[in-house]
Amino acid sequence: MLHAILAYINHHLEEEISLEQLAQFSGYSSFHLHHKLREEMEEPIGSFIERQRIQKAGYLLSLTKIPVAEIKMLVGYDNDSAFSRAFKKIYQVSPSAYRKQQRHLTGHQETYVSLKAEVVRLPEQKAIVFPTLTNYLTKDSYLVWDNVASYLQDHGLKEEDFDYYSVLHDCQNINEDSLSRYDAVLVCKKDSKQVNSKYFSTVLPSGKFVKYKFCCPVSEYKNMGMHVNRHLLEESGMEHVHGASYFKFQQLPLSQHSDHLLIEWFIPVK
């Protein structure tokens, strides 16, 4: 039971977590669960959740370029002062100072995943596509993004003027060693910036998607996919439909910096 509850907490740090939610998840009464967790963990559940939030924030501060203001939201804080106070209580420095000092010394296999499962509708978006065949679960999938970087440089375009998507046409878990269709996609934030090129121009189709978030080394993509797919099929109450899914990156991903990118994963649902 304890392992399942700890996993639930770590997969829902972006959300409010109450004792009542944990009791419903575990099947115990709130009263019984409170005493059982305190006995096994030797600390109040609220203190444990706060520590998990801040430790995960430390990972994101150290190994990603995600702004501090967004990291606080990813670990369940919507108030700058509350986040800073909680962070200082555990690490004795502010979040920004922690990032500058690069104090996070734990292993590079740390991960972040949010199973909040937010339903969104994506509009049609004009795009330039860089198609390739690759294995989604390896760093080779990021080699195509080096071509994207060259395209931007050759045309004098600014990285901040674009959104960056990967279009995943297949399910890599069916055959882990196979090559699958993968498109690196540029979506211009300002349509006038788009430049004709040898690459394909297309439109990303609109539709209903469920959005998950994760951040990890590429070597952990298989495990992230298992967590997300299990939640989608068994807990979300939504029905997955046939169609491509999307990874959306916060920044231009490159092959030499492919680990620890925050990814929003959009999966088509009915």
Side-chain angles (χ1 to χ4, degrees), residues 167-220:
V167 182
L168 313 179
H169 293 268
D170 301 303
C171 179
Q172 194 72 64
N173 288 334
I174 294 176
N175 186 346
E176 293 180 21
D177 298 323
S178 67
L179 297 180
S180 300
R181 170 78 181 277
Y182 176 105
D183 296 338
V185 176
L186 277 176
V187 173
C188 193
K189 296 176 182 177
K190 299 177 181 178
D191 194 55
S192 60
K193 294 281 187 180
Q194 189 162 305
V195 176
N196 292 328
S197 74
K198 63 180 180 181
Y199 297 100
F200 296 109
S201 293
T202 189
V203 174
L204 293 186
S206 61
K208 182 180 177 182
F209 296 82
V210 58
K211 180 175 71 173
Y212 293 89
K213 298 175 185 175
F214 70 90
C215 181
C216 65
V218 176
S219 60
E220 289 294 307

Side-chain angles (χ1 to χ4, degrees), residues 134-247:
T134 189
N135 186 314
Y136 303 161
L137 305 178
T138 70
K139 290 190 174 185
D140 286 349
S141 63
Y142 284 88
L143 292 172
V144 67
W145 286 102
D146 297 338
N147 295 334
V148 177
S150 297
Y151 168 82
L152 294 176
Q153 184 175 15
D154 292 345
H155 290 85
L157 300 172
K158 296 179 180 179
E159 291 182 17
E160 58 267 26
D161 288 334
F162 295 87
D163 287 326
Y164 303 95
Y165 290 85
S166 293
V167 182
L168 313 179
H169 293 268
D170 301 303
C171 179
Q172 194 72 64
N173 288 334
I174 294 176
N175 186 346
E176 293 180 21
D177 298 323
S178 67
L179 297 180
S180 300
R181 170 78 181 277
Y182 176 105
D183 296 338
V185 176
L186 277 176
V187 173
C188 193
K189 296 176 182 177
K190 299 177 181 178
D191 194 55
S192 60
K193 294 281 187 180
Q194 189 162 305
V195 176
N196 292 328
S197 74
K198 63 180 180 181
Y199 297 100
F200 296 109
S201 293
T202 189
V203 174
L204 293 186
S206 61
K208 182 180 177 182
F209 296 82
V210 58
K211 180 175 71 173
Y212 293 89
K213 298 175 185 175
F214 70 90
C215 181
C216 65
V218 176
S219 60
E220 289 294 307
Y221 278 12
K222 179 182 177 181
N223 289 333
M224 287 295 107
M226 291 173 61
H227 285 312
V228 168
N229 283 309
R230 185 181 300 116
H231 183 270
L232 176 60
L233 294 174
E234 300 177 4
E235 301 179 44
S236 72
M238 288 172 280
E239 182 181 344
H240 180 222
V241 297
H242 179 73
S245 64
Y246 302 150
F247 282 179

